Amino acid sequence: MTPIQTVVAMVTITLFIPCIASVMMIAKERSWRTAVGMLVIIFPLAFLIGGILYRILLATGFGL
């Protein structure tokens, strides 16, 4: 992997909900509606931020 790919992967993975157990606990403590709402927002947001970060790093010449 290139340095840009590594940084983007680390940031994107960090923004995801870490595991299904976390989703289950959110659903138990709050509600299923809240858990699903978080998933619907977090996954696309993580990819969006990863894509924006990739474009910024590419434009600045990071890792070249």
Side-chain angles (χ1 to χ4, degrees), residues 3-5 10 13-16 18 24 26-27 29-31 34 36 41 44 46 48 50 53-56 62 64:
I4 291 177
Q5 290 172 333
M10 288 190 313
I13 290 170
T14 301
L15 295 175
F16 278 143
M24 296 305 235
I26 292 167
E29 291 177 0
R30 304 244 177 198
S31 70
T34 302
V36 170
I41 292 170
L48 177 67
L53 179 62
Y54 174 76
R55 297 291 179 187
I56 291 170
F62 178 81
L64 297 177

Side-chain angles (χ1 to χ4, degrees), residues 14-64:
T14 301
L15 295 175
F16 278 143
I17 294 177
C19 62
I20 193 70
S22 296
V23 175
M24 296 305 235
M25 285 307 297
I26 292 167
K28 182 179 177 183
E29 291 177 0
R30 304 244 177 198
S31 70
W32 277 104
R33 184 177 178 188
T34 302
V36 170
M38 289 177 68
L39 288 172
V40 166
I41 292 170
I42 289 172
F43 279 108
L45 186 64
F47 280 112
L48 177 67
I49 292 173
I52 291 169
L53 179 62
Y54 174 76
R55 297 291 179 187
I56 291 170
L57 293 176
L58 203 60
T60 60
F62 178 81
L64 297 177

